[in-house]
């Protein structure tokens, strides 16, 4: 422990002053100016139950920081609590988690532009401010092709040099299925709208009466190989499974607690929202295609305005007709969920980046809506079409201000905090029920345009619609238990991402196969630049050099990840060339990056070069 | 159709507990004692109803609070996970260095079924015992355990070693028997590890068992051994920290002490009137 020894100057001050109360304050300040303490901070992350990879990365970082004399401790908190404290209250020192990687790099703009620093949500949670980066981020959204690539290269240079956050890895996804039960479309990741719509039952399990003999055979072998509780009886008939439901496990229970598209602490990659809520366009094969929209065109006389025509006869899940007014309402509502009733705007923290692209919106007729954009290129502008369209008649009453205990200050509306467990969307699935932290049930929405309309080429793959009577998500406490549910035939596949342990047990279980892919998640270390020492880019760079990516991808991610220095590393916008290599080289791990062993003395001198001093016992000191 | 894992787990855990209960009832209590007490069942139940009722109320409150508690806890609670780890360091890791598959199997069974048996057998044994006080003691001690435990769970947020140190501390129970997590999730929230209620309730049961040595000498020997094994299993399986177990043991002792004073007072009161 660092001691609070009185320095000579403090002693002089102590003897020199009288004991009036005003002097006590002076004495304190003299005392504290000389007082140095070991730097100590916390690393927030989620517990292993929620995401063992994040916990392990945080533990690794804490250990490395301790080696360089910093007292760092890992504080595990639940997912929603982490998102609340990091994204809404900005109450953190350092955190380790993942952010979703949308298909277009324009997500970097809300993530890092300084004008979003006072915002909440995935809008500059770090509090980073860099005017040069701001202008690069503004420029790229108006550019295309090689010009944009070059601007994004410059932007990545600045980001990596300044380390507002330290990217660690983009993991591969792994999900387990029962190929004997369900055929999944090959090209789509399981747990996507396209995969659910394309999934087909394997014929043998269509007859409920034949279930006991066929299912039992598979299950006995499964149970033997994992030597667990024998399931001896076939006599339980109290819970007959509906013949034709697609049943999935999730390990993240949040969708059973909240289905509000605007509720940041409860949202993940947005798949559940996309099942229930439609958007004007959908990204299919990395390109925006008309979805609720029949088509869109830029106006001849105003090239910054997009005219979007809705399909005919669109309906909400409650039977009301969808009009262009709902679309116009959605964009106004996302920009200000108080609808002008408060003295300040209360934008939705979700979809903020996309909604910010739209300057104004108006319903030209009941079927056509006009969106005007600022100085934004077409590809970026089309991002705005992927926001979920909300029914005005449902959401308008929730524009009222409210207060919630978990939010420190700031305005909030009911719309941002309601649970919305009976969502009225217009998506291909309708929610039929939720059971708190246990399950979520959906059924196909019969009036959906995929089921009722002739589809053009880009949507032809969805012909025939959802092939089951229902879609059910069952919460499994862990990947391991999810595999157990899968092998015993309670579910058909896992929707949540599997840990490497769960993948191993899945591969060792007969009848189960594992599907892998590249995820759209970036694990990273986020710093709160609102407080020292994280205000100091040299400090952040020194911390970044404690991260051994090859070691982490091998040991923590079990080889199933790309170690990345930039969140765009796996995209076509990944920079190349000598100057990029130099930037990366300057942030090279201090030590052997394969074994993860830190060269402690070099690492310490790195912090000394950044202006920090060490105590005799090796603690990194800061003024208190 | 196949048995859902939750049901099959419940059957095997409670089945294990029930089998032990049956054997112990035969061996430790004995048919003679049950027969002798038979005529007084109703009267005995009435006599202890106040205390058993208290336990039931506490359990109901506890069940309700488990849903609401975590939310309140995130607002008010103090996250002590890091502090606990800073104090005790890698103790649980050292405990796990003893791990063998057999030991894991035994301790998993003790953690699940052994615990159920340890907590339920006293009700059977003391219900038919000559001395009627231990039944009341047990009910009150359990109630106090749950009551204080619940307060601690709201005041302290703490994740167990398996949640803070993945890769270093194995989540042995859930890795070896993943289906058990489906069961334990029904009764546990993973932020509620300080103190260990497994330990505190077991310690309370063991203390009362020692007090009843004269009537059930075998149980006075079995219960402390089983309680120690339960406490050890919580660490071995990576569920609790050593400090959770220490705090749990203190709570277990305190609960019996409190129960002792409460039940005594009531007896004096009734006898003096």
């Amino acid at each position: 422990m660092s001691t609070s020894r009185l320095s000579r100057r403090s002693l002089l001050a102590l003897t020199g002053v009288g004991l009036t109360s005003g002097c006590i304050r002076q004495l304190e300040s003299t005392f504290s100016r000389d007082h140095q303490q070991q730097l100590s901070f916390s690393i927030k992350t989620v517990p292993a139950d929620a995401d063992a990879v994040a916990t392990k990365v945080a533990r690794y970082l804490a250990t490395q920081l301790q080696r360089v004399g910093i007292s760092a401790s890992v504080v595990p908190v639940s997912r929603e609590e982490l998102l609340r404290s990091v994204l809404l209250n900005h109450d953190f020192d350092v955190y380790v988690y993942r952010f979703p990687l949308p298909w277009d790099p324009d997500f970097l703009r809300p993530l890092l532009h300084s004008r979003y620093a006072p915002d909440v949500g995935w809008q500059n949670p770090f509090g980073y401010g860099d005017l040069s980066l701001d202008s690069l981020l503004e420029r790229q959204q108006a550019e295309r092709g090689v010009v944009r690539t070059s601007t994004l290269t410059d932007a990545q240079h600045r980001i990596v040099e300044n380390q507002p956050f330290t990217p660690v890895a983009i993991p591969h996804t792994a999900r387990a299925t029962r190929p004997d039960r369900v055929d999944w479309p090959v090209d789509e990741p399981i747990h996507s709208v396209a995969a659910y719509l394309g999934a087909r039952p394997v014929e043998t399990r269509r007859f409920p009466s034949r279930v006991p003999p066929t299912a039992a055979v598979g299950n006995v072998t499964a149970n033997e190989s994992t030597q667990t509780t024998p399931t001896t009886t076939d006599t339980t008939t109290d819970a007959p499974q509906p013949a034709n439901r697609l049943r999935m496990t999730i390990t993240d229970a949040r969708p059973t607690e909240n289905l509000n598209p605007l509720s940041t602490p409860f949202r993940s990659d947005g798949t559940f929202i996309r099942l229930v809520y439609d958007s004007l366009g959908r990204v299919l094969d990395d390109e925006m295609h008309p979805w609720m929209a029949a088509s869109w065109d830029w106006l001849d006389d105003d090239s910054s305005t997009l005219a979007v025509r809705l399909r005919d006869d669109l309906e909400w899940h409650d039977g009301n007709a969808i009009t262009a007014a709902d679309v116009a309402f959605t964009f106004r509502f996302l920009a200000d969920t108080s609808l002008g009733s408060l003295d300040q705007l209360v934008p939705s923290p979700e979809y903020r980046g996309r909604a910010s692209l739209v300057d104004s919106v108006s319903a030209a007729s009941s079927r056509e809506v006009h969106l005007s954009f600022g100085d934004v290129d077409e590809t970026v502008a089309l991002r705005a079409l992927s926001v979920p369209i909300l029914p005005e008649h449902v959401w308008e009453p929730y524009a009222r201000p409210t207060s919630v205990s978990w939010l420190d200050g700031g305005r909030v509306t009911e719309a941002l905090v309601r649970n919305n467990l009976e969502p009225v969307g217009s998506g291909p699935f309708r929610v039929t029920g939720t059971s708190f932290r246990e399950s979520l049930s959906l059924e196909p929405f019969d009036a959906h345009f995929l089921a009722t309309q002739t589809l053009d080429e880009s949507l032809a793959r969805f012909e025939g619609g959802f092939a089951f009577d229902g879609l059910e998500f069952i919460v499994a406490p862990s990947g391991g238990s999810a595999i157990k549910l899968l092998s015993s035939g309670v579910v058909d596949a896992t929707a949540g991402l599997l840990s490497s342990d769960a993948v191993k047990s899945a591969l060792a279980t007969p009848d189960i196969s594992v599907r892998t892919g590249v995820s759209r998640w970036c694990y990273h270390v986020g710093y709160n630049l609102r407080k020292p020492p994280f205000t100091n880019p040299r400090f952040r760079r020194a911390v970044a050099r404690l991260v051994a990516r090859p070691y982490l991808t091998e040991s923590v991610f079990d080889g199933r990840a790309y170690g990345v220095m930039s969140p765009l590393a796996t995209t076509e916008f990944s920079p190349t060339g000598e100057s990029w290599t130099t930037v990366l080289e300057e942030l090279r791990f201090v030590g052997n990056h394969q074994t993860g062993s830190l060269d402690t003395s070099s690492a310490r001198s790195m912090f000394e070069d950044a202006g920090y001093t060490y105590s005799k016992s090796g603690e990194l000191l800061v003024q208190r | 159709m196949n048995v859902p894992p939750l049901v099959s787990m419940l059957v095997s855990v409670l089945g294990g507990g029930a089998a032990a209960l049956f054997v112990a009832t035969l061996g430790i209590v004995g048919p003679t004692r049950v027969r002798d007490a038979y005529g007084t069942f109703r009267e005995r139940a009435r006599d202890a109803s106040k205390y058993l009722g208290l336990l039931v109320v506490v359990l109901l409150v506890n069940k309700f609070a488990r849903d609401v508690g975590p939310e309140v806890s995130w607002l008010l609670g103090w996250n002590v996970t890091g502090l606990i780890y800073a104090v005790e360091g890698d103790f649980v890791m050292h405990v796990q260095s003893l791990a063998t598959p057999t030991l894991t199997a035994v301790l998993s069974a003790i953690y699940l079924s052994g615990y159920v048996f340890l907590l339920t057998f006293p009700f059977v044994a003391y219900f038919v015992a000559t001395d009627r006080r231990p039944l009341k003691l047990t009910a009150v001690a359990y109630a106090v355990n749950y009551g204080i435990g619940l307060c601690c769970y709201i005041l302290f947020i703490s994740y167990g070693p398996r949640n803070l140190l993945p890769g270093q501390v194995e989540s042995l129970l859930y890795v070896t028997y993943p289906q058990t997590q489906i069961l334990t999730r029904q009764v546990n929230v993973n932020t509620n590890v300080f103190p260990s209620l497994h330990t505190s309730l077991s310690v309370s049961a063991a203390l009362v068992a020692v007090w009843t040595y004269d009537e059930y000498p075998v149980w006075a020997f079995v219960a402390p051994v089983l309680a120690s094994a339960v406490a050890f299993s919580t660490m071995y399986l990576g569920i609790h920290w050593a400090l959770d177990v220490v705090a749990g043991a203190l709570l277990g002792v305190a609960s019996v002490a409190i129960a002792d004073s409460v039940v005594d007072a009531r007896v004096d009161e009734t006898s003096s009137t």
Side-chain angles (χ1 to χ4, degrees):
Chain A
M1 282 298 292
S2 76
T3 53
S4 46
R5 246 176 264 124
L6 287 175
S7 72
R8 225 184 93 210
R9 215 169 66 193
S10 309
L11 279 171
L12 286 174
L14 191 82
T15 49
V17 296
L19 287 173
T20 64
S21 64
C23 290
I24 303 253
R25 191 169 301 142
Q26 190 188 342
L27 184 139
E28 274 174 0
S29 67
T30 313
F31 180 81
S32 58
R33 210 180 305 138
D34 275 13
H35 185 51
Q36 291 195 312
Q37 266 192 357
Q38 184 181 21
L39 173 60
S40 125
F41 55 78
S42 67
I43 304 172
K44 280 192 178 167
T45 191
V46 292
D49 272 352
D51 187 342
V53 161
T55 323
K56 283 179 183 171
V57 172
R59 285 284 326 144
Y60 167 84
L61 183 65
T63 313
Q64 302 292 54
L65 288 166
Q66 283 154 11
R67 292 208 174 105
V68 296
I70 297 169
S71 163
S73 62
V74 174
V75 177
V77 297
S78 70
R79 291 184 186 94
E80 47 274 44
E81 183 58 24
L82 183 77
L83 295 178
R84 277 174 192 163
S85 56
V86 171
L87 301 183
L88 302 184
N89 293 325
H90 299 147
D91 172 26
F92 67 102
D93 300 328
V94 175
Y95 73 89
V96 173
Y97 199 49
R98 53 190 198 181
F99 58 69
L101 291 171
W103 60 288
D104 187 274
D106 185 49
F107 75 86
L108 290 173
R109 182 176 50 87
L111 190 68
L112 291 165
H113 195 293
S114 61
R115 69 159 297 205
Y116 291 106
D119 260 30
V120 293
W122 281 112
Q123 273 67 245
N124 204 342
F126 323 107
Y128 182 57
D130 176 350
L131 294 175
S132 317
L133 180 65
D134 287 354
S135 63
L136 291 169
L137 292 173
E138 284 160 27
R139 254 169 57 198
Q140 61 77 31
Q141 66 171 353
E143 294 170 346
R144 61 170 68 187
V146 287
V147 184
R148 187 180 188 212
T149 308
S150 143
T151 306
L152 283 168
T153 300
D154 292 347
Q156 289 176 81
H157 270 85
R158 284 210 70 84
I159 297 167
V160 173
E161 273 172 359
N162 285 298
Q163 294 288 312
F165 63 94
T166 299
V168 176
I170 296 179
H172 303 180
T173 59
R175 295 189 172 93
T177 69
R178 289 280 298 252
D180 58 334
R181 293 168 158 266
V182 178
D183 272 336
W184 292 91
V186 233
D187 299 330
E188 309 291 349
I190 293 176
H191 192 54
S192 62
V193 176
Y196 289 126
L197 291 173
R200 294 288 175 267
V202 172
E203 287 306 311
T204 49
R205 67 177 279 265
R206 306 267 329 240
F207 309 100
S209 57
R210 281 181 47 199
V211 162
T214 46
V217 174
N219 285 311
V220 169
T221 47
N223 281 325
E224 278 172 1
S225 73
T226 49
Q227 44 169 306
T228 47
T229 329
T231 45
T232 43
T233 59
D234 286 328
T235 52
T236 47
T237 50
D238 52 345
Q241 288 295 335
N244 197 18
R245 295 174 74 76
L246 179 57
R247 290 154 309 162
M248 312 288 296
T249 58
I250 44 175
T251 41
D252 179 355
R254 288 178 298 164
T256 68
E257 301 170 41
N258 176 309
L259 286 167
N260 181 348
L262 313 183
S263 216
T264 294
F266 290 90
R267 296 286 67 86
S268 176
D269 64 356
T271 304
F272 286 99
I273 297 304
R274 281 191 293 273
L275 290 172
V276 179
Y277 288 92
D278 272 348
S279 47
L280 296 171
R282 272 285 152 90
V283 180
L284 302 166
D285 308 322
D286 280 346
E287 212 180 309
M288 191 66 76
H289 288 274
W291 186 259
M292 282 170 89
S295 63
W296 52 65
D297 291 294
W298 295 94
L299 289 186
D300 293 335
D301 53 346
D302 178 4
S303 62
S304 66
T305 297
L306 189 71
V308 182
R309 274 169 307 280
L310 296 178
R311 290 173 186 276
D312 295 331
D313 308 320
L314 291 175
E315 242 180 62
W316 296 111
H317 293 161
D318 63 5
N320 286 305
I322 299 177
T323 67
D326 288 308
V327 178
F329 166 80
T330 300
F331 283 96
R332 282 205 314 275
F333 197 58
L334 291 177
D336 179 13
T337 55
S338 78
L339 294 172
S341 67
L342 295 177
D343 54 0
Q344 64 185 80
L345 302 181
V346 187
S348 159
E350 292 294 289
Y351 311 105
R352 178 99 165 93
R354 281 175 261 177
S356 74
L357 297 165
V358 177
D359 277 356
S360 69
V361 59
S362 61
S365 73
S366 69
R367 303 249 62 82
E368 184 166 310
V369 66
H370 287 181
L371 301 172
S372 22
F373 293 88
D375 189 11
V376 180
D377 185 66
E378 184 181 343
T379 357
V380 176
L382 292 185
R383 287 187 71 211
L385 304 182
S386 63
V387 305
I389 300 302
L390 307 174
E392 182 171 12
H393 66 280
V394 172
W395 287 85
E396 201 267 327
Y398 295 108
R400 285 186 299 249
T402 184
S403 64
V404 280
S405 44
W406 43 261
L407 192 68
D408 307 340
R411 302 280 193 176
V412 67
T413 54
E414 289 176 10
L416 298 182
V417 295
R418 59 188 292 245
N419 288 337
N420 195 33
L421 284 173
E422 290 167 1
V424 178
S426 63
F429 294 91
R430 223 170 57 87
V431 172
T432 53
T434 52
S435 166
F436 188 71
R437 289 190 191 143
E438 283 181 4
S439 66
L440 166 66
S441 309
L442 304 103
E443 64 178 20
F445 176 44
D446 294 333
H448 193 262
F449 70 84
L450 287 178
T452 59
Q453 304 189 4
T454 35
L455 304 172
D456 62 17
E457 201 181 329
S458 65
L459 301 181
R461 70 181 93 171
F462 302 120
E463 206 78 58
F466 186 58
F468 300 80
D469 303 331
L471 174 59
E472 194 156 357
F473 294 91
I474 296 161
V475 178
S478 64
S481 55
I483 298 303
K484 203 68 211 166
L485 291 170
L486 189 59
S487 77
S488 60
V490 176
V491 297
D492 302 313
T494 64
L497 297 184
L498 296 177
S499 66
S500 47
D501 284 341
V503 169
K504 280 177 204 144
S505 87
L507 291 173
T509 313
D511 298 335
I512 294 183
S513 72
V514 174
R515 294 248 314 236
T516 56
V518 179
S519 75
R520 294 203 171 267
W521 290 107
C522 179
Y523 280 91
H524 62 288
V525 180
Y527 311 101
N528 192 344
L529 276 66
R530 296 169 189 85
K531 37 170 129 167
F534 313 107
T535 40
N536 181 353
R538 290 175 186 280
F539 181 82
R540 301 192 301 268
R541 284 170 62 89
V543 174
R545 297 194 58 187
L546 303 176
V547 177
R549 286 177 188 75
Y551 166 74
L552 286 173
T553 50
E554 209 39 60
S555 66
V556 171
F557 293 86
D558 211 29
R560 282 185 255 271
Y562 300 109
V564 296
M565 300 280 275
S566 161
L568 300 184
T570 56
T571 70
E572 57 184 303
F573 300 99
S574 177
T576 49
E578 211 166 297
S579 64
W580 180 246
T581 321
T582 315
V583 170
L584 300 189
E585 191 61 18
E586 284 170 359
L587 288 164
R588 192 183 72 251
F589 175 66
V590 196
N592 182 332
H593 66 197
Q594 294 295 345
T595 61
S597 69
L598 188 72
D599 177 348
T600 313
S601 64
S602 302
R604 282 168 180 258
S605 62
M606 186 172 74
F607 282 91
E608 282 170 338
D609 290 347
Y612 294 88
T613 51
Y614 279 96
S615 72
K616 286 208 179 79
S617 54
E619 294 165 339
L620 191 144
L621 298 175
V622 284
Q623 303 284 346
R624 279 293 149 127
Chain B
M1 195 59 212
N2 207 19
V3 186
L6 175 61
V7 176
S8 75
M9 267 317 298
L10 208 59
V11 166
S12 59
V13 168
L14 295 183
L21 203 59
F22 180 71
V23 171
T25 305
L26 277 185
I28 297 176
V29 179
T32 323
R33 207 184 251 109
V34 177
R35 207 178 319 112
D36 289 352
Y38 184 74
T40 59
F41 274 12
R42 180 167 301 196
E43 190 247 320
R44 282 166 184 268
R46 202 181 314 114
D47 185 27
S49 62
K50 213 164 24 184
Y51 303 103
L52 294 171
L54 170 72
L55 177 59
V56 170
V57 169
V58 169
L59 288 177
L60 287 176
V61 170
N62 188 59
K63 180 158 173 37
F64 167 75
R66 273 181 203 284
D67 280 348
V68 194
E71 272 309 300
V72 181
S73 200
W74 282 118
L75 283 177
L76 304 175
W78 177 27
N79 195 328
V80 292
T81 319
L83 186 66
I84 291 177
Y85 178 56
V87 171
E88 68 170 77
D90 294 331
F91 181 80
V92 174
M93 250 170 81
H94 296 309
V95 169
Q96 286 203 335
S97 62
L98 307 170
T100 63
T102 319
L103 194 54
T104 303
V106 170
L107 288 175
S108 297
I110 285 175
Y111 179 83
L112 298 167
S113 299
Y115 173 68
V116 169
F117 164 65
L118 176 60
L119 296 201
T120 50
F121 178 68
F123 288 109
V124 175
Y126 302 148
F127 188 68
V128 296
T130 332
D131 182 357
R132 296 184 183 184
R133 194 162 171 270
L135 179 65
K136 302 169 188 170
L137 271 183
T138 304
V140 176
Y142 285 6
V144 173
N145 269 303
Y146 274 110
I148 297 180
L150 185 65
C151 294
C152 289
Y153 289 163
I154 288 174
L155 293 177
F156 303 107
I157 295 167
S158 176
Y159 286 98
R162 66 185 187 86
N163 257 319
L164 180 69
L165 308 170
Q168 291 164 275
V169 170
E170 279 260 37
S171 184
L172 276 176
L173 178 64
Y174 302 136
V175 167
T176 322
Y177 308 104
Q179 67 277 31
T180 57
Q181 202 168 8
I182 298 166
L183 173 68
T184 56
R185 175 190 58 178
Q186 305 289 322
V187 286
N188 287 331
V189 178
N190 63 5
T191 48
N192 293 350
V193 302
F194 181 85
S196 159
L197 269 197
H198 253 75
T199 303
S200 72
L201 287 162
S202 300
V203 165
S204 290
L207 275 181
V208 178
V210 172
W211 267 352
T212 57
Y213 175 83
D214 289 340
E215 185 138 23
Y216 296 119
V218 178
W219 180 238
F221 173 75
V222 170
V225 171
L226 193 52
S228 312
V230 169
F232 181 75
S233 75
T234 64
M235 293 183 284
Y236 176 92
L237 298 171
I239 294 163
H240 281 295
W241 302 98
L243 283 183
D244 302 338
V245 170
V246 171
L250 293 175
L251 173 59
V253 174
S255 300
V256 174
I258 291 169
D260 188 33
S261 63
V262 171
V263 175
D264 259 347
R266 295 297 174 97
V267 168
D268 289 347
E269 199 181 291
T270 43
S271 59
S272 64
T273 48

